[in-house]
Amino acid sequence: MSNWKMQPSLYYLPAILLVGIGLGIGTYSLGFDSNLWHLILLHSLTSFFIGFPLLVVTTNQDWFNRRIAHPFYRILTMVGLFIAIGLLATEVEWFFRTLLKDHIANYRPFVSRGGLFNVIISTILGVSYYYHFDPFKSPEEEMVAEAEETIDLLENIPIKKSGGIHLMACQQIALIEAYDKYAYVYDAEGSKSLCDYSLGFLEKRLPDNFLRVHRKYILNKKYIKVIRPFDKNHYLIEFLAPDIPTIKNGQTYLGAVKSLIRL
């Protein structure tokens, strides 16, 4: 799929494999099987085929956000993927289990009794990942943000315009929109330019009059024209410049918008 990011998932790959190795050693110590290496291989495969696809899906949730507007159907779609990932991991484990025991002729698809357990684990992990990961932040950015105690606020942001790099004063920015690892910046007149910074980087370094209202948007409060109720959990935000697109807050940022309008 176009514009899917794989790097965040690869970053966690060693941890996924270590979990599988640990489970294999733990199972061996409990006496469930006499072959340590078989157990390590089987649990590593299961851990990989559950953990890695879950990370790929949840760290690319912005792809689903752009294509499935209603949050209920978006969550339903992702839960369906989590269940499918659990079933796939079960089939991989069952296939290799029969192969390692030289009983490959006995392999029958979708008959393993361990499928329900893997589906439950996959769904629980998937939901927790979904609410943990910000699709516009890499793990490196999250670690740096947590480690930094003091951060100098930006006064200007470099933008690409007319074939060159220009410095735009932060106070002239009305809206910042995420674009993959970068961002589009709208000035007070509605002109749109590309910036090499991500929203995760900018969020911690912009002055107090900026507010993040969506995984994809940071706005400047002084350029808001009107805030209109949309439904129970969302508001439409219009800007003074007509060329700046009207945006809708994300559900997890509802509290920020309510504090802005003092509800």
Side-chain angles (χ1 to χ4, degrees):
M1 298 180 184
S2 60
N3 299 325
W4 273 49
K5 302 180 288 293
M6 299 296 293
Q7 186 175 356
S9 304
L10 293 172
Y11 178 86
Y12 290 101
L13 187 55
I16 293 172
L17 296 178
L18 282 174
V19 169
I21 293 171
L23 288 172
I25 294 173
T27 304
Y28 176 78
S29 66
L30 293 173
F32 286 103
D33 197 308
S34 59
N35 194 313
L36 173 62
W37 298 111
H38 284 187
L39 287 171
I40 289 177
L41 175 61
L42 289 171
H43 284 286
S44 296
L45 285 170
T46 306
S47 180
F48 172 80
F49 278 96
I50 289 179
F52 188 72
L54 286 178
L55 285 169
V56 171
V57 170
T58 52
T59 56
N60 286 279
Q61 57 188 266
D62 54 305
W63 187 91
F64 294 91
N65 295 345
R66 290 193 295 266
R67 287 160 177 79
I68 307 175
H70 198 288
F72 174 77
Y73 294 117
R74 187 162 60 239
I75 291 291
L76 195 63
T77 300
M78 298 196 75
V79 169
L81 284 173
F82 301 156
I83 293 172
I85 288 169
L87 291 173
L88 172 64
T90 300
E91 287 308 301
V92 171
E93 179 184 351
W94 184 244
F95 174 80
F96 278 95
R97 188 180 294 275
T98 56
L99 180 65
L100 291 172
K101 293 186 175 181
D102 296 325
H103 297 153
I104 191 62
N106 296 330
Y107 170 72
R108 297 290 185 274
F110 305 110
V111 297
S112 170
R113 288 176 291 181
L116 180 60
F117 176 78
N118 285 337
V119 165
I120 293 172
I121 293 297
S122 178
T123 304
I124 292 174
L125 286 176
V127 172
S128 65
Y129 290 170
Y130 179 83
Y131 287 104
H132 172 75
F133 287 108
D134 184 336
F136 298 106
K137 287 183 183 178
S138 67
E140 293 85 354
E141 288 175 327
E142 291 182 344
M143 292 174 64
V144 169
E146 292 175 358
E148 291 178 339
E149 296 182 358
T150 58
I151 300 175
D152 294 331
L153 297 181
L154 296 171
E155 296 182 0
N156 303 285
I157 292 179
I159 61 170
K160 296 179 180 180
K161 191 174 183 180
S162 303
I165 305 296
H166 300 260
L167 291 179
M168 178 183 292
C170 290
Q171 298 307 324
Q172 295 299 314
I173 297 172
L175 176 67
I176 305 174
E177 178 184 10
Y179 175 70
D180 196 15
K181 296 181 181 180
Y182 311 105
Y184 282 122
V185 174
Y186 293 84
D187 65 19
E189 305 300 322
S191 179
K192 180 179 178 181
S193 306
L194 183 65
C195 169
D196 284 338
Y197 295 151
S198 69
L199 253 66
F201 177 87
L202 291 170
E203 183 180 10
K204 302 294 185 181
R205 293 166 174 82
L206 289 169
D208 291 340
N209 53 304
F210 284 86
L211 181 68
R212 189 163 189 175
V213 296
H214 192 281
R215 292 181 180 275
K216 196 174 179 181
Y217 300 115
I218 296 176
L219 57 78
N220 190 336
K221 302 173 189 177
K222 73 177 186 178
Y223 293 108
I224 295 174
K225 178 181 179 182
V226 64
I227 301 176
R228 304 181 189 278
F230 181 77
D231 58 29
K232 182 179 178 181
N233 296 311
H234 299 89
Y235 290 85
L236 294 177
I237 304 171
E238 299 178 14
F239 295 87
L240 295 172
D243 290 334
I244 301 177
T246 298
I247 65 172
K248 183 171 64 174
N249 69 282
Q251 185 171 343
T252 55
Y253 294 89
L254 177 62
V257 179
K258 284 188 174 182
S259 66
L260 178 62
I261 58 180
R262 301 185 185 280
L263 288 182

